[in-house]
């Protein structure tokens, strides 16, 4: 698309007096979508820039974490589009297997039914109906935020194309020996009735019990400690360390397992820590991953004692008891036999819980499907080590390597009905057939498909290339893969990032799925506390958008976005960002009313005032600064730079210093109006990726052109007759205006100390002779609200600043005697502070013992006291004598 072919209009009367986001945002967004600004063209000759959205769950709604990451992704893609890239930000949703199935099962429970009442096919159809009716709420909320995504490419992890991709890669992995089926210990949720991965287990400190139990009889006894006494029913050994002299005589012997009619061996294994507890460990291979590994090394039997609901399935007295009921019953029975050696309650220990429903996870031996990750994980690590993929910030590399270098095989099967069903068929004679997407399912009596579905992260791991049409060689895949940046939270490096790296490199012949991984922190409340419903501090970003506008929420989030670190956010900060948007609006209205324009070239340097040259020089430095921050994903710093340039330099300084020029009119006013138009044009372009709505409204009004979305990203501004590398720069003008700023700040500080408001007019005599300030007297008086001295002028305070002198007549505005008393009291306190600091620093005994940081602190106190004394004495000298 081409930008800016329309003729600029005369827009000063087109802006309402106040900015109302609700009147602007919705209409603007729909216009952007209708005009196809966000739709990427694979046939374009422009270089591609691609970001795929981390697909939110179909059950989800927009939370502050989404709003945060979406703001950053939108800023990146909007800027790249303005820079001339064919920018694709691809949206979509994840089918969220467990979460979505739970939603529909809850609905059925309200009807007095279960999924088994419907049967698999009808239940899956019911989930699709739920998805169509209730799912995807977040997509509408993304529009509200201003997400510039390509809606024509919206994908869903269960749609036809992505399902084909899932079957294709499963078949490929299976044929390559990288997918297998085996009995292993998995994390089992007795509520969701499915296996869950290690990364879907959330650990928290629970108050349980630690009981020490005596095993064996007579001399052949030892003591084990456990927090899960019920699992002793499945013990098949006791393990001790091979070098532990206390138990060497028992290794290889059979000892009596309490409460049962079984004996179990004592085995020697280096996994046991002889220094911990009694140095003896009960071994339950079917219900603990470490015990399973010991069992494999010693060829121990695996004895499963619980069913999928966590109910005991063995040993008469405890048969049919829930795991917690069984725990109490087992401890009680052992106590009766005198086998409880010690008990500790409460015993705080880390316990895994299902991240979906918070049920305590039960380690359980189960026949599941697994991905063999060794070679895949190595490739994922190598891609970062050899520089094909950059992790930002670089400090996060260690966390990534710690994970991929120690990755265990991945359990990919889930005992659910909603999801991608395992494409494996079993025949009546034990045949096992894995089908690709174009293969015909076997027919005949006795053939059945595996009942499990794939882990949700299996399909989302294909997201960077499946969404572009893989396994077909589509124009989208050819143009937009690999993607440029993955923006995601550091908390899902393990869930998602590593999965995409493994699958992308495997499926795409070593081509990385993304060139940069930009990791963000988590959004927290203004006190830095994690947002949680239980804490009562969760914020719905839509509420803030309703109150302050989407731009205010976006700017607040971007301003807090330091790479890899958490982002505190509070309503006060959003309110401040709303004031910033209003400031941009009001200042632009003022500029337009005073003729700000982009028509024609900038005037040559000799026609520009020092103020004009200063703001153009500062503009070019800001452009360079913002560009550098974008390339380093320093969103907080670029937002701060834009905030201070817009509010401080453009509005508070340039506009204020130029008011006398505008009010005077004439040729110089036209020159400054053209400069102001240029500055606003560039400033609004720079701000647009972060605050798109207010900037779009103001920029199209200023320029009369079509849209900022398709405008060019700013380059360094050149001034005729003053070309220079990096655009126009004028250090002399910056120094000159710097002198005005120094004088202004000093006078304002003095006025504040006298209790005078900045807007209060004060008679003043300015002696600017021989300084660069001489040409700016009118502007200085305008900014400082300084009136002409008049016939009755009496200099009650004189301030020497920046080589000039400012004499103020404060008679009638301050009580000179009271001010002298106040300053004298302050001077005494400063002199006392100086004496105390000098005494300590002059004490050699103190200096010999005091740490360096303490000495440095006292030196700082001394320097501050001396500065305070000089300042107060200067103020006293400015007061009139009695």
């Amino acid at each position: 698309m081409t930008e800016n072919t329309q003729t600029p209009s005369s827009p000063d009367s087109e802006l309402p007096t106040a900015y109302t986001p609700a009147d602007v945002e919705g209409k603007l967004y729909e216009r952007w979508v209708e005009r196809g600004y966000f739709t990427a063209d694979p046939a374009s000759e422009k270089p591609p820039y691609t970001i795929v959205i981390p697909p939110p769950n179909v059950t989800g709604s927009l939370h502050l974490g989404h709003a945060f990451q979406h703001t950053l992704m939108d800023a990146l893609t909007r800027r790249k589009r303005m820079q001339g890239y064919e920018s694709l930000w691809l949206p979509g949703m994840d089918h969220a297997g467990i979460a979505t199935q739970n939603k529909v099962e809850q609905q059925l429970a309200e009807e007095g039914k279960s999924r088994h009442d419907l049967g698999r096919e009808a239940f899956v159809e019911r989930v699709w109906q739920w998805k169509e009716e209730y799912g995807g709420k977040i997509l509408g909320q993304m529009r509200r935020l201003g997400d510039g995504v390509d809606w024509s490419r919206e994908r869903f992890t269960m749609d036809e194309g992505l399902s084909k991709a899932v079957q294709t890669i499963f078949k490929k992995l299976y044929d390559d020996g990288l997918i297998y089926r085996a009995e292993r210990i998995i994390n089992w949720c007795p509520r969701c009735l499915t296996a869950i991965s290690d990364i879907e287990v959330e650990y928290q400190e629970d108050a349980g019990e630690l009981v020490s139990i005596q095993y064996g009889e007579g001399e052949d006894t030892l003591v084990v400690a456990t927090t899960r006494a019920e699992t002793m029913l499945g013990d098949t050994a006791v393990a001790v360390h091979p070098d532990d002299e206390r138990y060497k005589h028992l290794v290889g012997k059979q000892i009596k397992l309490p409460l049962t009619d079984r004996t179990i061996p004592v085995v020697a294994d280096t996994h046991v820590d002889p220094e911990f507890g009694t140095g003896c460990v009960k071994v339950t291979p079917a219900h603990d991953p470490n015990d399973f590994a010991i069992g494999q090394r010693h060829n121990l039997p695996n004895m499963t004692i619980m069913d999928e609901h966590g109910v005991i399935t063995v040993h008469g007295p405890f048969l049919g008891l829930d795991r917690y009921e069984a725990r109490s019953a087992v401890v009680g029975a052992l106590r009766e036999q005198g086998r409880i050696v010690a008990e500790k309650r409460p015993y705080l220990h880390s316990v895994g819980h299902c991240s979906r429903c918070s049920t305590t996870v039960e380690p359980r031996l189960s026949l599941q499907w697994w991905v063999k990750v060794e070679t895949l994980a190595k490739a994922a690590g190598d891609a970062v080590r050899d520089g094909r993929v950059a992790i930002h910030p670089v400090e996060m590399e260690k966390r990534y390597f710690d994970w991929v270098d120690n990755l265990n095989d991945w359990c990919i099967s889930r005992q659910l009905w909603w999801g991608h069903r395992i494409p494996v068929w079993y025949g009546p004679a034990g045949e096992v057939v894995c089908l690709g997407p174009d293969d015909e399912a076997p027919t005949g009596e006795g053939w059945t498909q595996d009942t499990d579905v794939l882990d949700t992260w299996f399909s989302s791991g294909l997201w960077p290339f499946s969404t572009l049409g893989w396994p077909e060689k589509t124009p989208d895949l050819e143009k937009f893969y690999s993607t440029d940046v993955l923006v995601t939270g550091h908390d899902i490096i393990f869930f998602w990032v590593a999965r995409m790296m493994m699958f992308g490199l495997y499926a795409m012949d070593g081509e990385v799925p993304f060139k940069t991984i930009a990791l963000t922190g988590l959004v927290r409340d203004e006190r830095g506390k994690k947002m949680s419903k239980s804490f009562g501090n969760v914020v719905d970003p839509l509420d803030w958008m309703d109150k302050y506008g989407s731009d205010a929420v976006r700017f607040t989030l971007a301003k807090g976005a330091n790479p890899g670190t958490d982002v505190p956010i509070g309503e006060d900060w959003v309110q401040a960002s709303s004031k910033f948007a209003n400031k941009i609006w009001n200042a632009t209205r003022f500029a337009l009313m005073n003729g700000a324009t982009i028509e024609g070239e900038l005037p040559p340097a000799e026609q520009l005032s020092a103020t004009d040259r200063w703001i153009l020089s500062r503009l070019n430095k800001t452009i360079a600064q913002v560009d550098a921050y974008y390339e380093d994903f320093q969103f907080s710093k670029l937002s701060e730079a834009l905030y201070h340039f817009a509010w401080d330099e453009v509005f508070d300084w340039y506009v204020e210093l130029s008011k006398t020029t505008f009010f005077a009119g004439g040729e110089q006013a036209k020159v400054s109006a053209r400069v102001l138009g240029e500055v606003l044009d560039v400033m609004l372009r720079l701000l647009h990726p972060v605050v798109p709505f207010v900037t779009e409204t103001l920029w199209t009004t200023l320029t009369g052109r079509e849209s900022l979305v398709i405008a060019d990203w700013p380059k360094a501004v050149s001034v005729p007759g003053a070309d220079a590398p990096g655009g126009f720069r004028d250090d002399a003008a910056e120094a000159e205006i710097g002198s005005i700023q120094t004088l202004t700040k000093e006078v304002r500080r003095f006025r504040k100390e006298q209790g005078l408001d900045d807007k209060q007019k004060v008679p003043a005599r300015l002696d600017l002779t021989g300084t660069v300030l001489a040409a700016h007297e009118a502007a200085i008086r305008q900014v400082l609200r300084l009136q002409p001295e008049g016939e009755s002028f009496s200099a009650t305070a004189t301030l020497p600043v920046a080589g000039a002198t400012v004499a103020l007549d404060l008679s009638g505005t301050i009580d000179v005697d009271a001010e002298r008393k106040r300053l004298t009291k302050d001077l005494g306190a400063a002199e006392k502070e100086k004496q105390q600091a000098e005494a300590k620093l002059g004490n050699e005994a103190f200096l010999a013992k005091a740490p360096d940081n303490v000495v440095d602190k006292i030196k700082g106190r001394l320097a501050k006291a001396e500065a305070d004394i000089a300042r107060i004495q200067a103020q006293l000298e400015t007061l009139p004598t009695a």
Side-chain angles (χ1 to χ4, degrees):
M1 302 194 181
T2 58
E3 73 137 339
N4 307 337
T5 56
Q6 295 173 240
T7 303
S9 57
S10 299
D12 51 309
S13 61
E14 296 179 15
L15 288 176
T17 54
Y19 177 52
T20 308
D23 294 343
V24 170
E25 294 176 348
K27 295 174 185 177
L28 263 188
Y29 187 83
E30 291 310 314
R31 185 187 308 159
W32 291 335
V33 173
E34 288 167 7
R35 293 182 178 179
Y37 294 157
F38 306 139
T39 304
D41 180 6
S44 168
E45 295 182 359
K46 296 177 182 178
Y49 184 81
T50 314
I51 292 181
V52 291
I53 200 168
N57 287 352
V58 66
T59 60
S61 59
L62 190 74
H63 57 63
L64 274 174
H66 290 132
F68 171 51
Q69 291 182 0
H70 288 207
T71 294
L72 307 188
M73 285 183 274
D74 196 30
L76 290 171
T77 50
R78 283 179 183 269
R79 174 174 176 261
K80 284 295 182 180
R81 189 179 293 112
M82 295 172 74
Q83 286 182 313
Y85 287 79
E86 194 62 27
S87 189
L88 169 61
W89 185 19
L90 193 149
M93 293 186 298
D94 190 278
H95 65 277
I98 296 176
T100 309
Q101 179 157 320
N102 281 347
K103 289 280 188 184
V104 178
E105 288 197 85
Q106 288 167 12
Q107 274 191 348
L108 290 173
E110 292 172 4
E111 300 169 15
K113 298 177 184 177
S114 74
R115 60 177 161 132
H116 300 284
D117 294 325
L118 270 65
R120 183 171 193 138
E121 187 175 335
F123 176 78
V124 171
E125 179 59 33
R126 177 74 176 256
V127 180
W128 278 108
Q129 291 172 6
W130 182 94
K131 185 257 182 186
E132 294 304 316
E133 186 173 355
Y134 300 104
K137 176 182 178 183
I138 193 171
L139 299 179
Q141 296 168 337
M142 287 163 54
R143 302 170 87 95
R144 178 72 189 281
L145 186 66
D147 283 9
V149 297
D150 185 346
W151 291 110
S152 71
R153 286 178 169 83
E154 181 191 332
R155 304 307 296 268
F156 180 55
T157 50
M158 288 280 285
D159 69 27
E160 185 178 351
L162 270 65
S163 294
K164 182 176 183 179
V166 167
Q167 281 189 271
T168 300
I169 201 163
F170 188 100
K171 170 73 170 168
K172 180 173 169 60
L173 288 162
Y174 182 89
D175 290 347
D176 287 347
L178 296 176
I179 281 184
Y180 64 94
R181 197 180 189 213
E183 269 199 327
R184 297 280 180 84
I185 292 286
I186 48 89
N187 302 298
W188 181 264
C189 177
R191 158 63 183 80
C192 298
L193 298 180
T194 183
I196 59 176
S197 66
D198 291 344
I199 49 182
E200 291 169 304
V201 178
E202 294 180 347
Y203 288 89
Q204 64 186 48
E205 291 290 312
D206 283 2
E209 62 180 357
L210 180 69
V211 294
S212 298
I213 308 167
Q214 179 182 300
Y215 280 28
E217 302 286 353
E219 293 182 0
D220 296 343
T221 63
L222 36 72
V223 175
V224 300
T226 180
T227 58
R228 301 165 67 218
E230 71 282 3
T231 62
M232 68 160 292
L233 301 174
D235 285 358
T236 57
V238 172
V240 298
H241 194 276
D243 300 330
D244 195 331
E245 294 292 338
R246 294 172 295 175
Y247 306 113
K248 276 193 173 181
H249 68 289
L250 290 176
V251 174
K253 284 190 175 184
Q254 295 281 328
I255 63 170
K256 175 78 164 117
L257 178 65
L259 305 183
T260 73
D261 56 3
R262 295 190 291 119
T263 60
I264 57 176
V266 178
V267 299
D269 196 280
T270 54
H271 170 75
V272 180
D273 180 1
E275 303 298 323
F276 184 77
T278 62
C280 303
V281 174
K282 61 188 289 298
V283 182
T284 320
H287 292 279
D288 183 275
N290 294 321
D291 293 3
F292 179 78
I294 294 173
Q296 293 288 292
R297 289 193 288 271
H298 297 278
N299 200 28
L300 299 174
N302 301 314
M303 187 174 177
T304 301
I305 63 162
M306 288 182 219
D307 67 11
E308 60 186 7
H309 297 281
V311 173
I312 303 298
T313 58
V314 298
H315 203 67
F318 311 107
L319 184 66
L321 294 180
D322 170 84
R323 53 184 169 161
Y324 299 114
E325 296 171 334
R327 185 172 300 171
S328 297
V330 166
V331 171
L334 289 168
R335 190 181 295 112
E336 287 180 8
Q337 292 187 6
R339 290 186 175 274
I340 299 296
V341 176
E343 298 179 68
K344 185 176 182 180
R345 295 189 188 88
Y347 178 72
L348 287 177
H349 61 130
S350 182
V351 177
H353 295 260
C354 174
S355 62
R356 301 295 180 188
C357 67
S358 298
T359 300
T360 300
V361 168
E362 191 64 43
R364 185 170 185 257
L365 186 66
S366 182
L367 183 62
Q368 301 283 347
W369 285 94
W370 304 80
V371 172
K372 191 181 295 184
V373 301
E374 184 179 1
T375 58
L376 300 174
K378 183 181 183 304
D382 290 346
V384 174
R385 287 188 170 96
D386 63 25
R388 283 175 290 156
V389 176
I391 292 181
H392 191 87
V394 71
E395 307 89 72
M396 287 288 178
E397 279 188 3
K398 182 181 183 302
R399 191 171 182 184
Y400 175 80
F401 290 135
D402 285 347
W403 179 254
V404 297
D405 292 347
N406 299 285
L407 201 57
N408 296 318
D409 285 358
W410 173 17
C411 178
I412 57 171
S413 47
R414 299 290 181 266
Q415 290 63 56
L416 303 170
W417 286 355
W418 172 245
H420 295 282
R421 195 165 174 181
I422 303 275
V424 172
W425 292 71
Y426 306 107
E431 302 96 330
V432 179
V433 178
C434 179
L435 303 182
D438 300 320
D439 296 334
E440 291 286 337
T443 57
E445 189 175 347
W447 283 91
T448 58
Q449 186 177 358
D450 196 299
T451 57
D452 288 351
V453 300
L454 287 164
D455 178 10
T456 296
W457 298 101
F458 189 96
S459 51
S460 61
L462 315 181
W463 191 252
F465 52 94
S466 64
T467 52
L468 296 172
W470 188 90
E472 306 301 327
K473 293 182 178 179
T474 63
D476 275 6
L477 192 65
E478 184 177 351
K479 176 75 173 179
F480 296 112
Y481 190 88
S482 61
T483 69
D484 288 271
V485 182
L486 173 71
V487 178
T488 192
H490 61 65
D491 57 323
I492 60 170
I493 291 178
F494 323 125
F495 283 95
W496 195 42
V497 177
R499 312 287 195 227
M500 287 189 290
M501 285 285 281
M502 291 191 297
F503 280 168
L505 291 162
Y506 174 75
M508 299 300 293
D509 299 320
E511 193 175 358
V512 297
F514 24 75
K515 301 176 186 73
T516 301
I517 302 168
L519 295 170
T520 69
L522 308 179
V523 178
R524 297 181 177 271
D525 70 13
E526 63 267 33
R527 296 178 181 84
K529 195 172 184 180
K530 181 180 178 181
M531 287 193 174
S532 166
K533 290 180 181 178
S534 60
F535 296 154
N537 62 350
V538 173
V539 173
D540 185 343
L542 294 171
D543 291 341
W544 282 351
M545 288 185 220
D546 288 341
K547 197 169 182 179
Y548 302 109
S550 298
D551 282 335
V553 173
R554 291 170 61 114
F555 192 73
T556 305
L557 291 166
K559 207 174 177 188
N562 288 302
T565 60
D566 291 346
V567 182
I569 184 172
E571 187 169 0
D572 288 351
W573 305 338
V574 182
Q575 188 175 21
S577 295
S578 174
K579 290 179 180 177
F580 178 52
N582 287 322
K583 181 77 171 181
I584 299 170
W585 183 274
N586 293 331
T588 303
R589 283 189 74 250
F590 170 84
L592 292 172
M593 288 188 291
N594 284 277
T597 179
I598 63 164
E599 290 191 74
E601 287 190 352
L602 280 172
E606 61 268 19
Q607 293 183 20
L608 301 178
S609 68
T611 310
D612 295 333
R613 297 196 306 276
W614 164 75
I615 196 61
L616 290 173
S617 184
R618 291 298 308 137
L619 175 64
N620 278 337
K621 288 183 179 178
T622 301
I623 294 171
Q625 195 175 37
V626 169
D627 279 334
Y629 287 144
Y630 260 115
E631 295 307 311
D632 200 33
F633 302 99
Q634 297 278 0
F635 293 97
S636 177
K637 290 183 179 179
L638 72 89
S639 299
E640 286 284 354
L642 287 169
Y643 177 88
H644 289 297
F645 176 73
W647 193 305
D648 299 344
E649 296 185 312
V650 178
F651 304 145
D652 280 0
W653 286 108
Y654 181 72
V655 169
E656 286 298 318
L657 290 172
S658 300
K659 280 183 177 178
T660 53
T661 301
F662 289 133
F663 296 160
E667 288 303 311
Q668 191 57 52
K670 292 179 181 178
V671 169
S672 293
R674 178 63 187 90
V675 170
L676 181 53
E678 185 76 12
V679 171
L680 289 175
D681 174 19
V682 173
M683 184 194 75
L684 293 171
R685 291 174 193 245
L686 291 172
L687 282 164
H688 176 73
V690 179
V691 283
F693 294 108
V694 67
T695 53
E696 171 86 337
T697 307
L698 295 173
W699 187 83
T700 52
T701 305
L702 169 70
T703 66
R705 295 174 179 172
E706 185 178 345
S707 175
L708 255 180
V709 180
I710 54 170
D712 291 333
W713 182 252
K715 295 179 181 178
V717 174
S718 295
V719 172
D723 290 337
F728 176 76
R729 300 289 175 92
D730 193 329
D731 293 337
E734 291 196 41
E736 187 170 332
I737 303 305
S739 296
I740 298 176
Q741 292 173 323
T742 299
L743 182 144
T744 302
K745 289 175 182 176
E746 183 63 23
V747 173
R748 282 177 173 168
R749 186 187 63 77
F750 177 78
R751 288 171 58 128
K752 184 177 182 180
E753 289 173 348
Q754 310 307 312
L756 299 178
D757 186 87
D758 280 347
K759 295 182 179 179
Q760 186 172 346
K761 293 182 178 180
V762 176
R765 177 188 299 137
L766 304 184
D767 182 0
L768 311 177
T769 306
T771 71
V772 294
L773 301 171
H776 301 281
E777 179 170 349
I780 291 170
R781 286 187 177 275
Q782 165 67 29
V783 169
L784 288 171
R785 307 295 192 268
L786 300 179
Q787 293 178 318
E789 49 195 281
E791 292 182 5
S792 60
F793 179 83
S794 173
T796 59
T798 304
L799 303 177
V801 187
T805 303
V806 179
L808 302 174
D809 183 355
L810 302 180
S811 57
T813 60
I814 64 168
D815 184 330
V816 175
D817 289 339
E819 184 62 16
R820 187 179 297 280
K821 288 179 182 178
R822 183 185 72 80
L823 289 172
T824 301
K825 182 179 178 182
D826 290 348
L827 180 62
E831 288 173 338
K832 184 178 179 181
E833 175 73 4
K834 179 186 176 186
Q835 290 169 2
Q836 290 174 343
E838 286 176 334
K840 284 191 174 182
L841 293 174
N843 185 335
E844 292 185 5
F846 170 78
L847 292 176
K849 295 179 180 179
D852 290 345
N853 65 319
V854 172
V855 175
D856 290 341
K857 188 175 181 181
I858 294 171
K859 287 180 179 178
R861 285 169 48 193
L862 175 60
K864 182 179 183 301
E866 289 174 339
D868 287 343
I869 290 169
R871 174 179 58 80
I872 296 168
Q873 286 176 338
Q875 286 180 242
L876 283 167
E877 290 173 5
T878 66
L879 293 177
T881 56

